[in-house]
Amino acid sequence: MLKKSTFFILFALIPWLVQAQFTLSGKVVDAQNKEPLPGATVVVSHSLLATITDANGQFTFKNVNPGNYEMEVRFMGFQTKKVEIELTENKKLNIPLKSTSFMSDEVIISATTAQKASPNTYEDISGKKLNRNNQGKDLPFLLQMSPSVVVTSDAGAGVGYTGLRIRGVGLNGINVTLNGVPVNDGESQDVYFVDLPNLASSVSNLQIQRGVGTSSNGSAAFGASINMQTEAFQPDAYTEIDNSAGSFQTFKNNVKFSTGLLHKHWIMTGNFSNINSQGYIDRAFSHLKSGYLSAGYFGKKDIFKAIVILGHEKTYQAWYGVPKDSLSINRTYNPAGAIYNENGDLLGYYPNQTDNYTQDYYQLHYAHQFTKKFNLAAAAFLTRGYGYYESYKNDKSFADYGMNDTLIGSTTVSSTNLIEQKWLDNYFYGFNLFGNYVGGRSKWSFGGGWNHYDGDHYGKVIWAQVALLGEYDRNWYFNTGLKTDYNVFAKWNYKLTDQINLMADLQYRGINYQIKGTHDDLRDISQSHQFSFLNPKAGIYYALNQKNSLYFSFAVSHREPNRSVYRDADPGQIIKQEKLLDYELGYEFHSPDFSLHTTLYYMDYKDQFVLTGKINNVGTAIMTNVPKSYRAGIELSATWRANAFLDWNVQTTFSQNKILGFTEYVDNWNYWDDPANQPYQYSKYLGTTDISFSPDVIAGSVLTLHPIANGNISWSSKYVGRQYIDNTSTKERSLNPYWVNNLRMDYTVHNKLFKSMTFVLSLNNIFNAMYETNAWVYNYYYDNVEYEMNGYFPQAGFNFMAGINLKL
C-alpha cells in the first residue's frame, strides 16, 4: 500500500518536476548616464527570488518556472521601479532607474542595520507583515514566530506587561533602537513595550539581528538586537481606521493618517490608539494610550524629520504570578493587592494596586547627501519618563519607612497597614551621528553617539491606618542615577570579488555611572563606576553561486552591570563586567519556490551575571558572576512557496545553554532565630547546569492558504521546550514544554468608496492548551526541611479577536 501511495505521489509530481525552467537576468543602470548601479535590490514577486546587483549592476536568476511575474528594483536615491514579466524563455533585461527627487530616509538607519550579503544572522520584517497580526497585542507577541524567540505576558493575554527572549536572552540583553536612537533604559538596560502601546502600527520595517550583530548605539547587544524604523516616506495621502474587539473585554481603536506630499516637500503623519483589556489573570486590566506624530521635509539631498511618540499605561499589577499549587485550582488567581485583617483573614483586594507610567519620545533627524558616494545623518533625542506603582501593604513596621512608633493611650504601636507609591522620574537625552561612504568595492560606515540618563527613584507613603500626623506625607527614600554613555565605531565592507564580501567593525564604548542616595530599605547605596570597552567584529560572506551562500562572523561584546546588581551588592563584593565572544556560521539557499537559512552559533560568556540564590547582608537576592557559561545551537528557517495557493514557513532551534561550575545558595531561616549557632545560607555545588529560561528546543510553523482572491487563512504553531526557572536544572522548578496553535482569517474588499476594507478573525490557542511561559522561585530551609515560594504566569486558553481595517 505504501509503495502504491509513493508511486502515485511521484506520478503526480512529474509535470512539476519536468516543466521547463528559464534564466532571468539583467542589468540595472542609472537612467541619466547609463552607469551600472551595483548593490541594487531586485525582488521577484510570487517567488522567493531576491538578490543584489554585482559590481557591474548585473543580476541573474536561474531555473525560474515559466509564468507571469512582477519584478521590483530598488536602490537608495532612485525611484523604485516595477517591471511586468511574462517568462516563456530565457530573458535578459536592461532596467534604467530614474534619480529620485527625494533623498531616501533609509539613510537614517543604514549605518546600524545589516544589509544583504552581510555576514550577520538577521531577519527583516516589514511593517505590513507586523500589522497583519496587530490586533492590540504588544510588539513581542507580533515577533513570536521569528527564530529562537519566546514571549511571555504577565496578564496572560499579550496586552500589558510582556517579555521577549531571543536565544534565551531577555530584553535587558537585547539592544533595541528606534530610528537609530537607543530605547533600552539607561539603568536597568531593560525595555518595557507596555510604555510604547501599539508601536507596531508606526513601524515601517524592523530588523532582528541574533547574536552580537553590528555596532549600534545604546546598551550592549548581549544576545540580539532589534532595530526599528518608523513611518517611511510615503508621498500619497491616506487615512486608516482600525478597530478590534475580543476576549477578556479587549478593545483596540486606532486611527492613522498621512497628508501626502505638501508643497512638493512636506509630509505629516499621525497615529493614535487606545487599547483596553481586562486580561486573563484576575484584575489584570490594561488601559493603554499612545500617539505618534511626524513632520518631515524631503529634498533631493536633505531630509529633516521631527518625531513625537507619546505613551501612557495604567495596568493592575500581575507580576507576582500564581502560586504553583493554585494552577490546578484557579489558574487566574492574582495575589496582588490582597487586604488582610489582624487574624490573617482575607478582606478583599485594593482596587488601585496599579502601575502608572508615562513615557514620551522626542526625536529630531537630519540627513544630507554631499555626493552620490557620501552622506551624513544626525539625530538628537529626548526620552521623558515618569510614573509610579501603588501598593497596599499589610502590617508594615514603622521603622522600615523611617517613621516613629505611635503611642495610643498607653499602647505603643510599631506597625500599621499603609499604601505606598514607588516613583521613577527620568530624562534620557543625547545625539547620534552616522556617515556612509561608497568608493569602488568598499563601503565605509562610521559614527557614534552620546547619551545621558538622569533618573530619580523615590517612595511615598500616601496613607497609613495608624500614624502620627506628618510621619507619612513625605518621601521615605530618595536616590538618583546618573549615567553617561558614549561610543564611536567604524565599519568596513569590501567586495573582494563578485562572490566574496569582507566585513570589519570596531566600536569603542565608554560609560560613567553614579548612584547617590538611599534605597527603599534605607541603605545608603551611593557609588560610582567607570568602564571602557573595545568591541571588534569581523566576517566573510561567500556566494557559492546564485542559489547558495555561506557566511562566518566573529564578534566581541562587553556589558556593564545594571542598577540592580550594584544596588543589591554587599559592600566589598567584587563585581566584574560581562564579556561575550560570539561565533556565527551560516548557510543560505534560495530558489524560486524554496529558501533555507541555517545558522550554527556558539556564544561564549565570561563572568555572566546570574541568580544563584545568594543574598546580601539584608537578605536581598543578588546577581553574581559565573566564570564560564555558553549558548550553542543550530537555527533552521525554511520557506516553501508550493504554488499560488500555499505558503509554508517553518523554523526551529536546537541548543545547549550551560553554566560550567554552578554553586547554588539556599537560605536557612533558622539563622534568624539563632544567628550565633546557625549558618545563614547553605551552599550546594552542582557542576554544569542549564541556564534558566533557555529551552533546548524552540519550533514554529506558519501555514498560509490563499483559497480565494483577497482572502487568506493562516495556521501558526509554536512549540517551546522545557524551561528551568532557576539555574539548578531541577525539573520540579521548571516550566513544562508547550505547543500552542492559532488560526487567522482575513478577507479584503475593494470598491470606489474606499481603498480597502479588511475583515480579520483571530482564533488563539485553538486547542485550549494550559501552559505557563514564565515563573519565579525562592527556596529556603527551616528546621532542616526545604520549602519553596513561587509564582507562575499562566497564559490564556482559547480566545479570539475580530476586527475591521478601513483604508481611505
Side-chain angles (χ1 to χ4, degrees):
M1 185 69 180
L2 180 61
K3 289 183 178 180
K4 277 188 176 181
S5 299
T6 304
F7 172 78
F8 282 117
I9 291 172
L10 291 174
F11 184 78
L13 287 174
I14 286 175
W16 181 79
L17 292 170
V18 301
Q19 68 175 328
Q21 294 181 317
F22 303 110
T23 296
L24 175 62
S25 61
K27 186 175 183 179
V28 181
V29 299
D30 184 331
Q32 184 175 0
N33 53 32
K34 308 305 179 184
E35 291 183 358
L37 294 176
T41 300
V42 183
V43 180
V44 180
S45 65
H46 308 306
S47 76
L48 299 176
L49 296 176
T51 190
I52 59 174
T53 55
D54 63 18
N56 299 312
Q58 296 179 339
F59 65 90
T60 302
F61 298 115
K62 295 181 179 179
N63 302 319
V64 183
N65 293 329
N68 295 318
Y69 298 93
E70 182 182 75
M71 179 183 292
E72 184 175 279
V73 185
R74 301 190 301 268
F75 190 69
M76 189 176 294
F78 290 80
Q79 296 178 21
T80 297
K81 187 167 186 175
K82 294 184 179 181
V83 181
E84 299 288 340
I85 303 165
E86 183 180 1
L87 194 63
T88 57
E89 58 183 355
N90 293 337
K91 185 162 290 189
K92 189 171 184 178
L93 305 172
N94 187 70
I95 304 176
L97 297 186
K98 294 181 180 178
S99 178
T100 182
S101 302
F102 307 101
M103 186 180 178
S104 172
D105 54 359
E106 289 180 15
V107 69
I108 292 173
I109 61 166
S110 61
T112 58
T113 54
Q115 309 297 322
K116 191 168 180 62
S118 296
N120 300 103
T121 305
Y122 71 95
E123 178 189 14
D124 287 317
I125 303 174
S126 68
K128 182 179 180 180
K129 183 177 179 180
L130 274 180
N131 282 288
R132 193 177 299 147
N133 299 308
N134 183 11
Q135 290 185 287
K137 292 187 176 182
D138 287 355
L139 184 63
F141 274 74
L142 304 183
L143 303 178
Q144 64 179 318
M145 298 312 296
S146 296
S148 299
V149 170
V150 176
V151 300
T152 184
S153 167
D154 284 8
V159 181
Y161 271 88
T162 57
L164 170 75
R165 292 187 289 272
I166 301 177
R167 292 185 180 175
V169 178
L171 279 164
N172 64 354
I174 298 174
N175 171 268
V176 181
T177 60
L178 185 63
N179 301 317
V181 169
V183 175
N184 299 70
D185 180 78
E187 288 193 295
S188 70
Q189 302 173 22
D190 223 323
V191 177
Y192 300 97
F193 283 107
V194 69
D195 300 328
L196 289 160
N198 201 32
L199 176 63
S201 291
S202 301
V203 171
S204 63
N205 58 73
L206 179 149
Q207 185 180 87
I208 298 176
Q209 298 179 31
R210 301 190 295 280
V212 171
T214 63
S215 288
S216 188
N217 291 304
S219 67
F222 225 59
S225 299
I226 299 175
N227 303 298
M228 297 174 285
Q229 181 185 9
T230 55
E231 297 286 356
F233 176 79
Q234 171 56 265
D236 300 321
Y238 67 84
T239 300
E240 185 175 335
I241 302 170
D242 191 11
N243 295 295
S244 300
S247 300
F248 318 117
Q249 299 180 49
T250 301
F251 298 93
K252 173 199 170 188
N253 307 103
N254 187 69
V255 177
K256 292 175 65 175
F257 71 88
S258 174
T259 61
L261 205 58
L262 301 174
H263 303 291
K264 299 183 179 180
H265 291 289
W266 294 90
I267 295 178
M268 179 175 287
T269 60
N271 187 353
F272 300 92
S273 70
N274 187 49
I275 300 172
N276 292 283
S277 176
Q278 291 302 307
Y280 170 67
I281 301 299
D282 295 343
R283 304 181 307 285
F285 65 75
S286 299
H287 301 318
L288 314 176
K289 296 179 180 180
S290 67
Y292 172 90
L293 280 173
S294 172
Y297 170 88
F298 294 85
K300 186 174 180 61
K301 293 187 177 182
D302 296 275
I303 295 174
F304 176 80
K305 292 182 77 172
I307 298 171
V308 177
I309 304 174
L310 309 174
H312 178 76
E313 61 90 3
K314 181 173 184 177
T315 55
Y316 197 93
Q317 294 173 27
W319 53 57
Y320 295 99
V322 179
K324 188 176 184 179
D325 55 11
S326 297
L327 290 173
S328 60
I329 303 169
N330 180 8
R331 292 180 59 80
T332 66
Y333 171 63
N334 183 4
I339 301 174
Y340 299 95
N341 64 17
E342 61 274 10
N343 298 319
D345 301 319
L346 179 64
L347 300 179
Y349 295 92
Y350 182 54
N352 202 38
Q353 189 90 358
T354 57
D355 184 70
N356 307 262
Y357 201 73
T358 296
Q359 188 143 294
D360 300 329
Y361 294 77
Y362 306 90
Q363 299 181 1
L364 290 175
H365 296 271
Y366 175 70
H368 178 73
Q369 182 178 353
F370 291 88
T371 69
K372 288 186 177 181
K373 296 182 177 182
F374 178 56
N375 59 63
L376 279 177
F381 65 90
L382 166 67
T383 302
R384 175 74 174 106
Y386 56 94
Y388 64 92
Y389 66 90
E390 185 169 309
S391 305
Y392 188 95
K393 297 293 184 179
N394 294 276
D395 194 27
K396 300 299 290 186
S397 169
F398 286 126
D400 290 343
Y401 292 82
M403 299 162 61
N404 295 310
D405 292 347
T406 300
L407 188 64
I408 300 179
S410 59
T411 303
T412 299
V413 179
S414 59
S415 63
T416 185
N417 299 332
L418 54 82
I419 299 171
E420 68 176 35
Q421 291 180 348
K422 289 189 173 181
W423 279 79
L424 175 60
D425 189 341
N426 62 73
Y427 295 84
F428 182 45
Y429 53 87
F431 64 87
N432 303 329
L433 179 66
F434 302 112
N436 297 288
Y437 176 79
V438 179
R441 292 180 174 269
S442 293
K443 177 182 179 182
W444 289 90
S445 295
F446 57 89
W450 176 94
N451 58 69
H452 181 73
Y453 176 91
D454 185 344
D456 293 337
H457 307 258
Y458 56 95
K460 298 179 178 181
V461 178
I462 64 170
W463 173 84
Q465 190 171 15
V466 178
L468 293 172
L469 186 63
E471 280 288 306
Y472 62 84
D473 52 349
R474 58 178 174 78
N475 295 338
W476 94 80
Y477 74 92
F478 185 94
N479 66 77
T480 297
L482 300 171
K483 186 175 183 180
T484 301
D485 185 337
Y486 63 91
N487 80 93
V488 291
F489 66 82
K491 305 176 188 181
W492 177 60
N493 283 274
Y494 182 70
K495 200 170 184 63
L496 184 64
T497 69
D498 287 341
Q499 289 77 40
I500 300 175
N501 191 53
L502 304 178
M503 178 273 289
D505 182 337
L506 183 63
Q507 180 198 52
Y508 173 79
R509 184 166 173 245
I511 299 156
N512 188 332
Y513 181 39
Q514 298 179 22
I515 304 175
K516 297 179 181 179
T518 57
H519 186 40
D520 61 3
D521 56 8
L522 306 181
R523 285 181 300 126
D524 187 347
I525 57 173
S526 300
Q527 52 195 285
S528 179
H529 306 277
Q530 290 184 331
F531 297 92
S532 295
F533 299 141
L534 193 64
N535 299 317
K537 308 171 184 69
I540 180 171
Y541 179 95
Y542 179 39
L544 301 171
N545 50 47
Q546 195 257 333
K547 290 185 177 181
N548 298 274
S549 59
L550 294 167
Y551 68 86
F552 173 77
S553 68
F554 169 74
V556 178
S557 182
H558 293 83
R559 184 166 70 153
E560 75 280 10
N562 64 22
R563 169 185 165 82
S564 63
V565 172
Y566 287 126
R567 183 195 64 200
D568 298 331
D570 270 327
Q573 180 186 347
I574 298 175
I575 299 175
K576 302 176 183 179
Q577 64 198 35
E578 299 173 278
K579 183 178 181 179
L580 167 61
L581 306 179
D582 180 29
Y583 305 82
E584 307 269 337
L585 176 64
Y587 165 73
E588 295 177 327
F589 172 83
H590 290 280
S591 74
D593 303 312
F594 181 76
S595 69
L596 172 69
H597 191 144
T598 302
T599 306
L600 290 167
Y601 66 88
Y602 181 74
M603 301 168 69
D604 184 14
Y605 293 92
K606 181 181 179 182
D607 296 322
Q608 183 178 192
F609 273 104
V610 302
L611 284 169
T612 65
K614 194 170 179 60
I615 62 173
N616 61 16
N617 57 6
V618 294
T620 301
I622 61 176
M623 302 279 280
T624 57
N625 294 105
V626 291
K628 293 289 293 180
S629 55
Y630 70 86
R631 302 180 187 275
I634 179 171
E635 296 168 328
L636 302 167
S637 179
T639 300
W640 178 42
R641 183 156 288 170
N643 47 48
F645 305 102
L646 173 65
D647 300 330
W648 191 15
N649 174 264
V650 294
Q651 47 88 5
T652 187
T653 301
F654 300 99
S655 65
Q656 292 288 305
N657 310 274
K658 301 292 184 180
I659 298 172
L660 305 180
F662 180 78
T663 299
E664 179 195 18
Y665 295 87
V666 183
D667 292 353
N668 175 23
W669 279 22
N670 290 106
Y671 169 81
W672 311 112
D673 299 328
D674 189 5
N677 298 311
Q678 297 285 347
Y680 73 95
Q681 283 191 305
Y682 298 112
S683 64
K684 300 178 184 179
Y685 178 75
L686 301 179
T688 299
T689 62
D690 294 273
I691 302 176
S692 61
F693 300 108
S694 301
D696 290 349
V697 180
I698 304 171
S701 166
V702 181
L703 185 67
T704 304
L705 300 175
H706 315 282
I708 57 175
N710 303 321
N712 304 285
I713 301 174
S714 179
W715 177 21
S716 63
S717 304
K718 187 79 175 187
Y719 174 84
V720 177
R722 184 170 303 279
Q723 301 178 73
Y724 293 99
I725 302 168
D726 62 14
N727 297 296
T728 64
S729 297
T730 305
K731 187 175 181 181
E732 290 73 22
R733 285 179 245 160
S734 69
L735 301 174
N736 291 326
Y738 58 86
W739 181 47
V740 180
N741 292 267
N742 305 316
L743 195 63
R744 182 187 182 278
M745 294 165 279
D746 66 78
Y747 179 69
T748 301
V749 177
H750 301 274
N751 65 29
K752 296 180 180 180
L753 297 178
F754 43 77
K755 293 179 181 177
S756 67
M757 178 183 287
T758 302
F759 301 88
V760 182
L761 175 64
S762 296
L763 306 176
N764 304 311
N765 196 358
I766 56 177
F767 298 131
N768 200 36
M770 298 291 102
Y771 68 106
E772 297 81 44
T773 56
N774 200 9
W776 60 268
V777 64
Y778 168 72
N779 281 61
Y780 64 96
Y781 278 95
Y782 189 72
D783 288 342
N784 295 318
V785 177
E786 189 171 11
Y787 295 90
E788 178 182 295
M789 291 187 286
N790 53 55
Y792 286 70
F793 295 86
Q795 304 300 289
F798 172 76
N799 63 94
F800 74 94
M801 287 290 292
I804 300 176
N805 179 280
L806 181 64
K807 294 181 180 179
L808 304 175

